[in-house]
Amino acid sequence: DTADLRRVWVVSILAGVLVGVIAIVAWAGGKPGKPHSPNRATTLPTATADLGEPGSISVDPPPFKSEEVLDSMEETGQPCSGCHDEDMEPDPERRDLETHDDIVLKHDEKHRWCLDCHDTHNRDKLRLASGKLIDFSESYRLCGQCHGDKYRDWRAGIHGRRTGYWDGTRGAKQYRLCVHCHYAHAPAFKPIGPQPPPIRPEATK
């Protein structure tokens, strides 16, 4: 009758909830995954991002890959002063670079160039529009000046990749910088070619 049917439904729902709770507890009791390993020779420490809110977050070190930068990091512990030392006179004139000939700027290149982001006198620092100098580990602040909506979403945790556990109890939660996914000098992702459609189940028989 109707009463028996209701009992069956209630028992089924409770059993489903119980199975779900057991699965969550079993998952939460697992061993934490390995933390993200920074790229070789990136010796800048993990930074703390000051988001102007309680409970600041950790940010992974910048993913330096250029051989010149890696050499400078090994020599001086800084990304640029291995070459751009105090004996090198800065040249602020906009021009095609001879030294960094592997860098092709495709990032609002009609209106921007190197010293809009890199400081003229201290190449180990980035420069905000206000003139304030920041470390490469704070590059999200530089990106956020133009890409405010993405910066807002990144701060909220809905844009970009995270490592660690969401509640922070069994492994520090770390944010990754914009440049971990977007190459700073050409940040747009390359187009992805079309792929063949999935195989329908009946075609596998």
Side-chain angles (χ1 to χ4, degrees):
D1 60 4
T2 305
D4 290 337
L5 188 58
R6 283 184 185 152
R7 287 193 199 94
V8 170
W9 275 104
V10 170
V11 170
S12 299
I13 291 171
L14 290 175
V17 171
L18 182 60
V19 169
V21 170
I22 292 172
I24 291 172
V25 170
W27 172 81
K31 294 181 179 179
K34 293 182 179 179
H36 168 71
S37 298
N39 288 333
R40 179 189 65 84
T42 301
T43 56
L44 289 179
T46 297
T48 299
D50 181 7
L51 303 183
E53 301 166 357
S56 293
I57 55 165
S58 295
V59 178
D60 283 351
F64 297 128
K65 295 177 182 176
S66 163
E67 289 300 321
E68 296 163 327
V69 172
L70 294 178
D71 289 345
S72 178
M73 292 292 291
E74 291 180 352
E75 180 182 344
T76 68
Q78 295 295 330
C80 303
S81 53
C83 295
H84 291 274
D85 57 20
E86 55 189 23
D87 295 330
M88 178 180 280
E89 188 70 24
D91 182 359
E93 182 181 353
R94 180 172 178 148
R95 64 196 186 281
D96 291 332
L97 299 180
E98 297 178 1
T99 303
H100 295 291
D101 56 0
D102 58 326
I103 296 177
V104 178
L105 188 63
K106 293 190 179 296
H107 192 175
D108 192 22
E109 60 274 16
K110 292 182 180 179
H111 307 101
R112 302 277 175 259
W113 92 294
C114 311
L115 298 182
D116 289 317
C117 298
H118 297 271
D119 185 61
T120 305
H121 301 285
N122 185 351
R123 298 300 168 81
D124 293 321
K125 299 288 185 180
L126 298 172
R127 180 182 177 277
L128 300 179
S130 65
K132 179 178 176 61
L133 302 186
I134 61 172
D135 291 330
F136 280 80
S137 58
E138 294 182 285
S139 58
Y140 57 88
R141 297 176 61 187
L142 183 70
C143 303
Q145 294 181 132
C146 296
H147 306 282
D149 58 334
K150 302 299 187 294
Y151 180 45
R152 175 201 63 208
D153 292 346
W154 178 84
R155 287 175 52 164
I158 57 175
H159 184 103
R161 185 180 171 190
R162 308 287 171 269
T163 59
Y165 285 79
W166 70 272
D167 60 356
T169 57
R170 292 179 299 107
K173 180 167 59 174
Q174 286 185 290
Y175 282 35
R176 304 195 76 188
L177 297 169
C178 312
V179 292
H180 282 99
C181 299
H182 300 273
Y183 177 51
H185 304 118
F189 290 135
K190 294 181 180 179
I192 299 174
Q195 299 295 316
I199 300 174
R200 298 179 66 86
E202 58 266 24
T204 62
K205 296 178 180 178

